């Protein structure tokens, strides 16, 4: 099932996510829906806050094409070496910025079968893990870049949201006028 992806400005994206206490069929189903949504949106990772749920889980399919579910992840090590890479986000569409992050990470988490694992990752996989893990703490990639860029992006999305809200109100008013007209003819 395709899920709605929350956009910049949504409060859920800024909340701290709660741990998942039990891996159930409902959690596995949610992970599958997240994979489906992520792939439909051409993403490589998707975290629960991005679909309006403040739980500590994200899914990833990086450059090795392996489907990975991370439940209650913790980054336990990062490399000293840092690299810049252009990042984007399904919750901040059509915006990209070079972000400096550790080149490699070690993460421990629980998979969709309830088994604990430790993964050492580098390159794109390490970056995606860090990006998605940030979502679980209410951090967006724009927060890790240039402050001026972040403020400009937030303002741009606020304008978009205001424009969309105005358009929605106008549409609702038009529908009410049509309904009133139809009711007056009865």
């Amino acid at each position: 099932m395709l899920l709605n992806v929350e956009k910049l400005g949504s409060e859920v994206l800024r909340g701290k996510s709660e741990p998942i206490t039990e891996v159930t069929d409902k959690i596995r189903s949610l992970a599958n829906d997240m994979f489906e949504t992520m792939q439909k949106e051409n993403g490589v990772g998707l975290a629960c806050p991005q679909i309006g749920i403040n739980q500590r889980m994200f899914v990833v399919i990086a450059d090795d094409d392996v489907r990975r579910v991370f439940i209650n992840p913790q980054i336990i090590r990062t490399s000293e070496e840092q690299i810049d890479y252009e990042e984007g986000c399904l919750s901040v569409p059509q915006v990209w910025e070079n972000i400096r992050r550790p080149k490699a990470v070690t993460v421990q988490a629980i998979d969709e079968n309830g088994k604990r694992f430790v993964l050492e990752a580098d390159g794109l996989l390490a970056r995606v893990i860090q990006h998605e893990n940030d979502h679980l703490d209410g951090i967006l990639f724009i927060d890790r870049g240039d402050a001026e860029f972040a403020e400009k992006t937030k303002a741009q999305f606020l304008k978009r949201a205001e424009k969309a809200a105005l358009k929605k109100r106008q549409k609702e008013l038009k529908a009410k006028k049509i309904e009133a007209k139809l009711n007056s003819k009865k």
Side-chain angles (χ1 to χ4, degrees):
M1 173 175 76
L2 289 178
L3 306 167
N4 181 55
V5 177
E6 299 289 327
K7 304 295 187 261
L8 179 62
S10 173
E11 288 183 29
V12 73
L13 292 173
R14 294 304 191 169
K16 186 144 174 89
S17 295
E18 296 294 320
I20 292 174
T21 55
E22 184 181 1
V23 180
T24 61
D25 286 342
K26 187 176 177 182
I27 293 293
R28 281 185 279 280
S29 178
L30 177 61
N32 283 328
D33 291 346
M34 290 172 69
F35 277 119
E36 183 180 345
T37 302
M38 178 188 76
Q39 289 176 300
K40 169 94 171 50
E41 298 286 332
N42 296 315
V44 292
L46 186 66
C48 276
Q50 293 180 272
I51 54 162
I53 301 170
N54 279 121
Q55 288 192 306
R56 296 192 75 79
M57 179 171 76
F58 61 81
V59 299
V60 170
I61 302 177
D63 48 358
D64 59 2
D65 288 329
V66 176
R67 288 171 51 122
R68 291 185 174 92
V69 176
F70 295 80
I71 298 170
N72 300 333
Q74 291 180 300
I75 295 176
I76 55 176
R77 258 188 307 279
T78 59
S79 65
E80 287 185 30
E81 184 180 357
Q82 306 257 322
I83 57 171
D84 290 330
Y85 191 85
E86 188 176 65
E87 288 187 30
C89 181
L90 297 178
S91 293
V92 190
Q94 300 171 344
V95 173
W96 295 270
E97 183 179 19
N98 274 330
I99 303 297
R100 179 168 285 256
R101 292 190 188 266
K103 181 180 179 184
V105 297
T106 302
V107 61
Q108 67 181 16
I110 299 167
D111 70 14
E112 67 274 24
N113 298 311
K115 293 189 176 152
R116 184 164 299 283
F117 68 93
V118 175
L119 176 69
E120 292 182 13
D122 63 3
L124 181 62
L125 180 58
R127 179 161 300 271
V128 176
I129 288 169
Q130 292 172 82
H131 177 110
E132 299 308 329
N133 197 66
D134 275 354
H135 276 298
L136 305 182
D137 294 321
I139 300 167
L140 299 175
F141 82 100
I142 60 172
D143 302 331
R144 297 227 180 253
D146 177 69
E148 188 178 317
F149 175 82
E151 287 308 311
K152 195 166 108 178
T153 301
K154 289 174 192 172
Q156 175 188 358
F157 273 79
L158 181 59
K159 268 187 188 176
R160 282 187 199 176
E162 288 170 350
K163 209 173 185 180
L166 176 61
K167 200 172 186 178
K168 183 180 177 186
R169 281 195 299 276
Q170 289 172 336
K171 192 175 181 180
E172 288 168 353
L173 283 173
K174 188 175 180 181
K176 283 182 182 180
K177 284 181 184 179
I178 291 170
E179 185 180 339
K181 223 178 204 181
L182 290 172
N183 286 338
S184 71
K185 290 184 179 183
K186 288 182 181 178

mmCIF file with all atom_site columns, all heavy atoms in Angstrom, residues 21-42:
data_model
loop_
_atom_site.group_PDB
_atom_site.id
_atom_site.type_symbol
_atom_site.label_atom_id
_atom_site.label_alt_id
_atom_site.label_comp_id
_atom_site.label_asym_id
_atom_site.label_entity_id
_atom_site.label_seq_id
_atom_site.pdbx_PDB_ins_code
_atom_site.Cartn_x
_atom_site.Cartn_y
_atom_site.Cartn_z
_atom_site.occupancy
_atom_site.B_iso_or_equiv
_atom_site.pdbx_formal_charge
_atom_site.auth_seq_id
_atom_site.auth_comp_id
_atom_site.auth_asym_id
_atom_site.auth_atom_id
_atom_site.pdbx_PDB_model_num
ATOM 1   N N   . THR A 1 21 ? 8.593  -1.627  20.569 1.00 0.00 ? 21 THR A N   1
ATOM 2   C CA  . THR A 1 21 ? 8.737  -2.581  21.671 1.00 0.00 ? 21 THR A CA  1
ATOM 3   C C   . THR A 1 21 ? 8.640  -4.031  21.225 1.00 0.00 ? 21 THR A C   1
ATOM 4   O O   . THR A 1 21 ? 9.165  -4.920  21.883 1.00 0.00 ? 21 THR A O   1
ATOM 5   C CB  . THR A 1 21 ? 7.689  -2.316  22.763 1.00 0.00 ? 21 THR A CB  1
ATOM 6   O OG1 . THR A 1 21 ? 6.386  -2.338  22.173 1.00 0.00 ? 21 THR A OG1 1
ATOM 7   C CG2 . THR A 1 21 ? 7.927  -0.968  23.421 1.00 0.00 ? 21 THR A CG2 1
ATOM 8   N N   . GLU A 1 22 ? 7.958  -4.273  20.091 1.00 0.00 ? 22 GLU A N   1
ATOM 9   C CA  . GLU A 1 22 ? 7.799  -5.645  19.618 1.00 0.00 ? 22 GLU A CA  1
ATOM 10  C C   . GLU A 1 22 ? 7.698  -5.660  18.093 1.00 0.00 ? 22 GLU A C   1
ATOM 11  O O   . GLU A 1 22 ? 7.002  -4.834  17.512 1.00 0.00 ? 22 GLU A O   1
ATOM 12  C CB  . GLU A 1 22 ? 6.529  -6.245  20.225 1.00 0.00 ? 22 GLU A CB  1
ATOM 13  C CG  . GLU A 1 22 ? 6.305  -7.696  19.893 1.00 0.00 ? 22 GLU A CG  1
ATOM 14  C CD  . GLU A 1 22 ? 5.006  -8.245  20.502 1.00 0.00 ? 22 GLU A CD  1
ATOM 15  O OE1 . GLU A 1 22 ? 4.274  -7.495  21.167 1.00 0.00 ? 22 GLU A OE1 1
ATOM 16  O OE2 . GLU A 1 22 ? 4.751  -9.437  20.278 1.00 0.00 ? 22 GLU A OE2 1
ATOM 17  N N   . VAL A 1 23 ? 8.395  -6.578  17.468 1.00 0.00 ? 23 VAL A N   1
ATOM 18  C CA  . VAL A 1 23 ? 8.327  -6.722  16.017 1.00 0.00 ? 23 VAL A CA  1
ATOM 19  C C   . VAL A 1 23 ? 7.158  -7.661  15.719 1.00 0.00 ? 23 VAL A C   1
ATOM 20  O O   . VAL A 1 23 ? 7.195  -8.844  16.032 1.00 0.00 ? 23 VAL A O   1
ATOM 21  C CB  . VAL A 1 23 ? 9.646  -7.274  15.439 1.00 0.00 ? 23 VAL A CB  1
ATOM 22  C CG1 . VAL A 1 23 ? 9.534  -7.413  13.931 1.00 0.00 ? 23 VAL A CG1 1
ATOM 23  C CG2 . VAL A 1 23 ? 10.810 -6.355  15.803 1.00 0.00 ? 23 VAL A CG2 1
ATOM 24  N N   . THR A 1 24 ? 6.112  -7.086  15.110 1.00 0.00 ? 24 THR A N   1
ATOM 25  C CA  . THR A 1 24 ? 4.874  -7.817  14.846 1.00 0.00 ? 24 THR A CA  1
ATOM 26  C C   . THR A 1 24 ? 4.615  -7.873  13.340 1.00 0.00 ? 24 THR A C   1
ATOM 27  O O   . THR A 1 24 ? 5.328  -7.249  12.552 1.00 0.00 ? 24 THR A O   1
ATOM 28  C CB  . THR A 1 24 ? 3.687  -7.095  15.515 1.00 0.00 ? 24 THR A CB  1
ATOM 29  O OG1 . THR A 1 24 ? 3.587  -5.773  14.929 1.00 0.00 ? 24 THR A OG1 1
ATOM 30  C CG2 . THR A 1 24 ? 3.883  -6.973  17.022 1.00 0.00 ? 24 THR A CG2 1
ATOM 31  N N   . ASP A 1 25 ? 3.563  -8.603  12.962 1.00 0.00 ? 25 ASP A N   1
ATOM 32  C CA  . ASP A 1 25 ? 3.148  -8.627  11.557 1.00 0.00 ? 25 ASP A CA  1
ATOM 33  C C   . ASP A 1 25 ? 2.790  -7.219  11.083 1.00 0.00 ? 25 ASP A C   1
ATOM 34  O O   . ASP A 1 25 ? 3.027  -6.870  9.931  1.00 0.00 ? 25 ASP A O   1
ATOM 35  C CB  . ASP A 1 25 ? 1.955  -9.569  11.358 1.00 0.00 ? 25 ASP A CB  1
ATOM 36  C CG  . ASP A 1 25 ? 2.350  -11.039 11.436 1.00 0.00 ? 25 ASP A CG  1
ATOM 37  O OD1 . ASP A 1 25 ? 3.565  -11.339 11.308 1.00 0.00 ? 25 ASP A OD1 1
ATOM 38  O OD2 . ASP A 1 25 ? 1.457  -11.888 11.617 1.00 0.00 ? 25 ASP A OD2 1
ATOM 39  N N   . LYS A 1 26 ? 2.220  -6.418  11.973 1.00 0.00 ? 26 LYS A N   1
ATOM 40  C CA  . LYS A 1 26 ? 1.866  -5.036  11.623 1.00 0.00 ? 26 LYS A CA  1
ATOM 41  C C   . LYS A 1 26 ? 3.123  -4.226  11.273 1.00 0.00 ? 26 LYS A C   1
ATOM 42  O O   . LYS A 1 26 ? 3.128  -3.469  10.309 1.00 0.00 ? 26 LYS A O   1
ATOM 43  C CB  . LYS A 1 26 ? 1.110  -4.390  12.784 1.00 0.00 ? 26 LYS A CB  1
ATOM 44  C CG  . LYS A 1 26 ? 0.560  -3.025  12.483 1.00 0.00 ? 26 LYS A CG  1
ATOM 45  C CD  . LYS A 1 26 ? -0.255 -2.487  13.644 1.00 0.00 ? 26 LYS A CD  1
ATOM 46  C CE  . LYS A 1 26 ? -0.726 -1.087  13.339 1.00 0.00 ? 26 LYS A CE  1
ATOM 47  N NZ  . LYS A 1 26 ? -1.481 -0.503  14.447 1.00 0.00 ? 26 LYS A NZ  1
ATOM 48  N N   . ILE A 1 27 ? 4.193  -4.428  12.028 1.00 0.00 ? 27 ILE A N   1
ATOM 49  C CA  . ILE A 1 27 ? 5.467  -3.737  11.763 1.00 0.00 ? 27 ILE A CA  1
ATOM 50  C C   . ILE A 1 27 ? 6.046  -4.225  10.433 1.00 0.00 ? 27 ILE A C   1
ATOM 51  O O   . ILE A 1 27 ? 6.518  -3.428  9.614  1.00 0.00 ? 27 ILE A O   1
ATOM 52  C CB  . ILE A 1 27 ? 6.469  -3.955  12.919 1.00 0.00 ? 27 ILE A CB  1
ATOM 53  C CG1 . ILE A 1 27 ? 5.984  -3.257  14.185 1.00 0.00 ? 27 ILE A CG1 1
ATOM 54  C CG2 . ILE A 1 27 ? 7.872  -3.512  12.539 1.00 0.00 ? 27 ILE A CG2 1
ATOM 55  C CD1 . ILE A 1 27 ? 5.967  -1.739  14.126 1.00 0.00 ? 27 ILE A CD1 1
ATOM 56  N N   . ARG A 1 28 ? 6.003  -5.534  10.195 1.00 0.00 ? 28 ARG A N   1
ATOM 57  C CA  . ARG A 1 28 ? 6.519  -6.088  8.924  1.00 0.00 ? 28 ARG A CA  1
ATOM 58  C C   . ARG A 1 28 ? 5.711  -5.549  7.742  1.00 0.00 ? 28 ARG A C   1
ATOM 59  O O   . ARG A 1 28 ? 6.270  -5.202  6.702  1.00 0.00 ? 28 ARG A O   1
ATOM 60  C CB  . ARG A 1 28 ? 6.483  -7.622  8.956  1.00 0.00 ? 28 ARG A CB  1
ATOM 61  C CG  . ARG A 1 28 ? 7.630  -8.236  9.745  1.00 0.00 ? 28 ARG A CG  1
ATOM 62  C CD  . ARG A 1 28 ? 7.643  -9.757  9.661  1.00 0.00 ? 28 ARG A CD  1
ATOM 63  N NE  . ARG A 1 28 ? 6.701  -10.367 10.577 1.00 0.00 ? 28 ARG A NE  1
ATOM 64  C CZ  . ARG A 1 28 ? 6.924  -10.550 11.880 1.00 0.00 ? 28 ARG A CZ  1
ATOM 65  N NH1 . ARG A 1 28 ? 8.063  -10.162 12.412 1.00 0.00 ? 28 ARG A NH1 1
ATOM 66  N NH2 . ARG A 1 28 ? 6.019  -11.119 12.646 1.00 0.00 ? 28 ARG A NH2 1
ATOM 67  N N   . SER A 1 29 ? 4.410  -5.467  7.903  1.00 0.00 ? 29 SER A N   1
ATOM 68  C CA  . SER A 1 29 ? 3.545  -4.936  6.844  1.00 0.00 ? 29 SER A CA  1
ATOM 69  C C   . SER A 1 29 ? 3.866  -3.460  6.585  1.00 0.00 ? 29 SER A C   1
ATOM 70  O O   . SER A 1 29 ? 3.929  -3.021  5.432  1.00 0.00 ? 29 SER A O   1
ATOM 71  C CB  . SER A 1 29 ? 2.076  -5.107  7.243  1.00 0.00 ? 29 SER A CB  1
ATOM 72  O OG  . SER A 1 29 ? 1.236  -4.568  6.271  1.00 0.00 ? 29 SER A OG  1
ATOM 73  N N   . LEU A 1 30 ? 4.068  -2.711  7.663  1.00 0.00 ? 30 LEU A N   1
ATOM 74  C CA  . LEU A 1 30 ? 4.441  -1.297  7.528  1.00 0.00 ? 30 LEU A CA  1
ATOM 75  C C   . LEU A 1 30 ? 5.757  -1.171  6.769  1.00 0.00 ? 30 LEU A C   1
ATOM 76  O O   . LEU A 1 30 ? 5.887  -0.334  5.868  1.00 0.00 ? 30 LEU A O   1
ATOM 77  C CB  . LEU A 1 30 ? 4.542  -0.640  8.902  1.00 0.00 ? 30 LEU A CB  1
ATOM 78  C CG  . LEU A 1 30 ? 4.988  0.823   8.914  1.00 0.00 ? 30 LEU A CG  1
ATOM 79  C CD1 . LEU A 1 30 ? 4.005  1.708   8.146  1.00 0.00 ? 30 LEU A CD1 1
ATOM 80  C CD2 . LEU A 1 30 ? 5.137  1.306   10.355 1.00 0.00 ? 30 LEU A CD2 1
ATOM 81  N N   . ALA A 1 31 ? 6.737  -2.008  7.099  1.00 0.00 ? 31 ALA A N   1
ATOM 82  C CA  . ALA A 1 31 ? 8.031  -1.969  6.401  1.00 0.00 ? 31 ALA A CA  1
ATOM 83  C C   . ALA A 1 31 ? 7.841  -2.239  4.915  1.00 0.00 ? 31 ALA A C   1
ATOM 84  O O   . ALA A 1 31 ? 8.424  -1.540  4.071  1.00 0.00 ? 31 ALA A O   1
ATOM 85  C CB  . ALA A 1 31 ? 9.001  -2.982  7.019  1.00 0.00 ? 31 ALA A CB  1
ATOM 86  N N   . ASN A 1 32 ? 7.017  -3.212  4.565  1.00 0.00 ? 32 ASN A N   1
ATOM 87  C CA  . ASN A 1 32 ? 6.754  -3.510  3.147  1.00 0.00 ? 32 ASN A CA  1
ATOM 88  C C   . ASN A 1 32 ? 6.097  -2.325  2.453  1.00 0.00 ? 32 ASN A C   1
ATOM 89  O O   . ASN A 1 32 ? 6.447  -1.989  1.316  1.00 0.00 ? 32 ASN A O   1
ATOM 90  C CB  . ASN A 1 32 ? 5.903  -4.772  3.004  1.00 0.00 ? 32 ASN A CB  1
ATOM 91  C CG  . ASN A 1 32 ? 6.713  -6.028  3.221  1.00 0.00 ? 32 ASN A CG  1
ATOM 92  O OD1 . ASN A 1 32 ? 7.897  -6.077  2.900  1.00 0.00 ? 32 ASN A OD1 1
ATOM 93  N ND2 . ASN A 1 32 ? 6.078  -7.042  3.768  1.00 0.00 ? 32 ASN A ND2 1
ATOM 94  N N   . ASP A 1 33 ? 5.135  -1.685  3.123  1.00 0.00 ? 33 ASP A N   1
ATOM 95  C CA  . ASP A 1 33 ? 4.487  -0.495  2.555  1.00 0.00 ? 33 ASP A CA  1
ATOM 96  C C   . ASP A 1 33 ? 5.497  0.639   2.377  1.00 0.00 ? 33 ASP A C   1
ATOM 97  O O   . ASP A 1 33 ? 5.434  1.398   1.407  1.00 0.00 ? 33 ASP A O   1
ATOM 98  C CB  . ASP A 1 33 ? 3.331  -0.024  3.443  1.00 0.00 ? 33 ASP A CB  1
ATOM 99  C CG  . ASP A 1 33 ? 2.147  -0.982  3.444  1.00 0.00 ? 33 ASP A CG  1
ATOM 100 O OD1 . ASP A 1 33 ? 2.088  -1.876  2.569  1.00 0.00 ? 33 ASP A OD1 1
ATOM 101 O OD2 . ASP A 1 33 ? 1.280  -0.843  4.335  1.00 0.00 ? 33 ASP A OD2 1
ATOM 102 N N   . MET A 1 34 ? 6.430  0.743   3.314  1.00 0.00 ? 34 MET A N   1
ATOM 103 C CA  . MET A 1 34 ? 7.464  1.777   3.216  1.00 0.00 ? 34 MET A CA  1
ATOM 104 C C   . MET A 1 34 ? 8.382  1.517   2.023  1.00 0.00 ? 34 MET A C   1
ATOM 105 O O   . MET A 1 34 ? 8.723  2.450   1.291  1.00 0.00 ? 34 MET A O   1
ATOM 106 C CB  . MET A 1 34 ? 8.265  1.856   4.517  1.00 0.00 ? 34 MET A CB  1
ATOM 107 C CG  . MET A 1 34 ? 7.462  2.427   5.676  1.00 0.00 ? 34 MET A CG  1
ATOM 108 S SD  . MET A 1 34 ? 8.308  2.307   7.275  1.00 0.00 ? 34 MET A SD  1
ATOM 109 C CE  . MET A 1 34 ? 9.647  3.483   7.042  1.00 0.00 ? 34 MET A CE  1
ATOM 110 N N   . PHE A 1 35 ? 8.765  0.247   1.813  1.00 0.00 ? 35 PHE A N   1
ATOM 111 C CA  . PHE A 1 35 ? 9.578  -0.080  0.637  1.00 0.00 ? 35 PHE A CA  1
ATOM 112 C C   . PHE A 1 35 ? 8.834  0.291   -0.642 1.00 0.00 ? 35 PHE A C   1
ATOM 113 O O   . PHE A 1 35 ? 9.404  0.894   -1.553 1.00 0.00 ? 35 PHE A O   1
ATOM 114 C CB  . PHE A 1 35 ? 9.932  -1.575  0.605  1.00 0.00 ? 35 PHE A CB  1
ATOM 115 C CG  . PHE A 1 35 ? 11.115 -1.964  1.444  1.00 0.00 ? 35 PHE A CG  1
ATOM 116 C CD1 . PHE A 1 35 ? 10.964 -2.858  2.488  1.00 0.00 ? 35 PHE A CD1 1
ATOM 117 C CD2 . PHE A 1 35 ? 12.381 -1.450  1.185  1.00 0.00 ? 35 PHE A CD2 1
ATOM 118 C CE1 . PHE A 1 35 ? 12.050 -3.236  3.265  1.00 0.00 ? 35 PHE A CE1 1
ATOM 119 C CE2 . PHE A 1 35 ? 13.477 -1.812  1.957  1.00 0.00 ? 35 PHE A CE2 1
ATOM 120 C CZ  . PHE A 1 35 ? 13.308 -2.709  3.000  1.00 0.00 ? 35 PHE A CZ  1
ATOM 121 N N   . GLU A 1 36 ? 7.559  -0.076  -0.709 1.00 0.00 ? 36 GLU A N   1
ATOM 122 C CA  . GLU A 1 36 ? 6.758  0.202   -1.907 1.00 0.00 ? 36 GLU A CA  1
ATOM 123 C C   . GLU A 1 36 ? 6.681  1.714   -2.165 1.00 0.00 ? 36 GLU A C   1
ATOM 124 O O   . GLU A 1 36 ? 6.862  2.181   -3.292 1.00 0.00 ? 36 GLU A O   1
ATOM 125 C CB  . GLU A 1 36 ? 5.348  -0.385  -1.735 1.00 0.00 ? 36 GLU A CB  1
ATOM 126 C CG  . GLU A 1 36 ? 4.467  -0.211  -2.944 1.00 0.00 ? 36 GLU A CG  1
ATOM 127 C CD  . GLU A 1 36 ? 3.066  -0.802  -2.753 1.00 0.00 ? 36 GLU A CD  1
ATOM 128 O OE1 . GLU A 1 36 ? 2.844  -1.587  -1.810 1.00 0.00 ? 36 GLU A OE1 1
ATOM 129 O OE2 . GLU A 1 36 ? 2.197  -0.461  -3.580 1.00 0.00 ? 36 GLU A OE2 1
ATOM 130 N N   . THR A 1 37 ? 6.424  2.484   -1.102 1.00 0.00 ? 37 THR A N   1
ATOM 131 C CA  . THR A 1 37 ? 6.331  3.941   -1.223 1.00 0.00 ? 37 THR A CA  1
ATOM 132 C C   . THR A 1 37 ? 7.667  4.543   -1.641 1.00 0.00 ? 37 THR A C   1
ATOM 133 O O   . THR A 1 37 ? 7.727  5.374   -2.551 1.00 0.00 ? 37 THR A O   1
ATOM 134 C CB  . THR A 1 37 ? 5.866  4.548   0.120  1.00 0.00 ? 37 THR A CB  1
ATOM 135 O OG1 . THR A 1 37 ? 4.597  3.971   0.464  1.00 0.00 ? 37 THR A OG1 1
ATOM 136 C CG2 . THR A 1 37 ? 5.757  6.060   0.034  1.00 0.00 ? 37 THR A CG2 1
ATOM 137 N N   . MET A 1 38 ? 8.745  4.092   -0.985 1.00 0.00 ? 38 MET A N   1
ATOM 138 C CA  . MET A 1 38 ? 10.081 4.603   -1.278 1.00 0.00 ? 38 MET A CA  1
ATOM 139 C C   . MET A 1 38 ? 10.450 4.366   -2.739 1.00 0.00 ? 38 MET A C   1
ATOM 140 O O   . MET A 1 38 ? 10.953 5.258   -3.418 1.00 0.00 ? 38 MET A O   1
ATOM 141 C CB  . MET A 1 38 ? 11.094 3.919   -0.352 1.00 0.00 ? 38 MET A CB  1
ATOM 142 C CG  . MET A 1 38 ? 12.528 4.315   -0.570 1.00 0.00 ? 38 MET A CG  1
ATOM 143 S SD  . MET A 1 38 ? 13.647 3.291   0.397  1.00 0.00 ? 38 MET A SD  1
ATOM 144 C CE  . MET A 1 38 ? 13.644 1.779   -0.561 1.00 0.00 ? 38 MET A CE  1
ATOM 145 N N   . GLN A 1 39 ? 10.184 3.170   -3.226 1.00 0.00 ? 39 GLN A N   1
ATOM 146 C CA  . GLN A 1 39 ? 10.534 2.851   -4.608 1.00 0.00 ? 39 GLN A CA  1
ATOM 147 C C   . GLN A 1 39 ? 9.673  3.630   -5.592 1.00 0.00 ? 39 GLN A C   1
ATOM 148 O O   . GLN A 1 39 ? 10.168 4.098   -6.607 1.00 0.00 ? 39 GLN A O   1
ATOM 149 C CB  . GLN A 1 39 ? 10.432 1.346   -4.830 1.00 0.00 ? 39 GLN A CB  1
ATOM 150 C CG  . GLN A 1 39 ? 11.559 0.613   -4.111 1.00 0.00 ? 39 GLN A CG  1
ATOM 151 C CD  . GLN A 1 39 ? 11.456 -0.888  -4.222 1.00 0.00 ? 39 GLN A CD  1
ATOM 152 O OE1 . GLN A 1 39 ? 10.480 -1.492  -3.789 1.00 0.00 ? 39 GLN A OE1 1
ATOM 153 N NE2 . GLN A 1 39 ? 12.480 -1.490  -4.812 1.00 0.00 ? 39 GLN A NE2 1
ATOM 154 N N   . LYS A 1 40 ? 8.398  3.811   -5.281 1.00 0.00 ? 40 LYS A N   1
ATOM 155 C CA  . LYS A 1 40 ? 7.505  4.591   -6.151 1.00 0.00 ? 40 LYS A CA  1
ATOM 156 C C   . LYS A 1 40 ? 7.992  6.037   -6.248 1.00 0.00 ? 40 LYS A C   1
ATOM 157 O O   . LYS A 1 40 ? 7.908  6.666   -7.292 1.00 0.00 ? 40 LYS A O   1
ATOM 158 C CB  . LYS A 1 40 ? 6.073  4.557   -5.594 1.00 0.00 ? 40 LYS A CB  1
ATOM 159 C CG  . LYS A 1 40 ? 5.104  5.525   -6.233 1.00 0.00 ? 40 LYS A CG  1
ATOM 160 C CD  . LYS A 1 40 ? 4.326  4.894   -7.343 1.00 0.00 ? 40 LYS A CD  1
ATOM 161 C CE  . LYS A 1 40 ? 3.194  5.706   -7.900 1.00 0.00 ? 40 LYS A CE  1
ATOM 162 N NZ  . LYS A 1 40 ? 3.461  7.070   -8.277 1.00 0.00 ? 40 LYS A NZ  1
ATOM 163 N N   . GLU A 1 41 ? 8.539  6.541   -5.148 1.00 0.00 ? 41 GLU A N   1
ATOM 164 C CA  . GLU A 1 41 ? 9.029  7.926   -5.089 1.00 0.00 ? 41 GLU A CA  1
ATOM 165 C C   . GLU A 1 41 ? 10.490 8.050   -5.539 1.00 0.00 ? 41 GLU A C   1
ATOM 166 O O   . GLU A 1 41 ? 11.073 9.124   -5.437 1.00 0.00 ? 41 GLU A O   1
ATOM 167 C CB  . GLU A 1 41 ? 8.886  8.466   -3.659 1.00 0.00 ? 41 GLU A CB  1
ATOM 168 C CG  . GLU A 1 41 ? 7.458  8.529   -3.156 1.00 0.00 ? 41 GLU A CG  1
ATOM 169 C CD  . GLU A 1 41 ? 6.649  9.645   -3.774 1.00 0.00 ? 41 GLU A CD  1
ATOM 170 O OE1 . GLU A 1 41 ? 7.246  10.673  -4.157 1.00 0.00 ? 41 GLU A OE1 1
ATOM 171 O OE2 . GLU A 1 41 ? 5.422  9.491   -3.877 1.00 0.00 ? 41 GLU A OE2 1
ATOM 172 N N   . ASN A 1 42 ? 11.096 6.935   -5.984 1.00 0.00 ? 42 ASN A N   1
ATOM 173 C CA  . ASN A 1 42 ? 12.495 6.909   -6.425 1.00 0.00 ? 42 ASN A CA  1
ATOM 174 C C   . ASN A 1 42 ? 13.474 7.292   -5.316 1.00 0.00 ? 42 ASN A C   1
ATOM 175 O O   . ASN A 1 42 ? 14.467 7.982   -5.568 1.00 0.00 ? 42 ASN A O   1
ATOM 176 C CB  . ASN A 1 42 ? 12.700 7.810   -7.650 1.00 0.00 ? 42 ASN A CB  1
ATOM 177 C CG  . ASN A 1 42 ? 11.926 7.313   -8.839 1.00 0.00 ? 42 ASN A CG  1
ATOM 178 O OD1 . ASN A 1 42 ? 11.935 6.117   -9.132 1.00 0.00 ? 42 ASN A OD1 1
ATOM 179 N ND2 . ASN A 1 42 ? 11.225 8.209   -9.507 1.00 0.00 ? 42 ASN A ND2 1
#
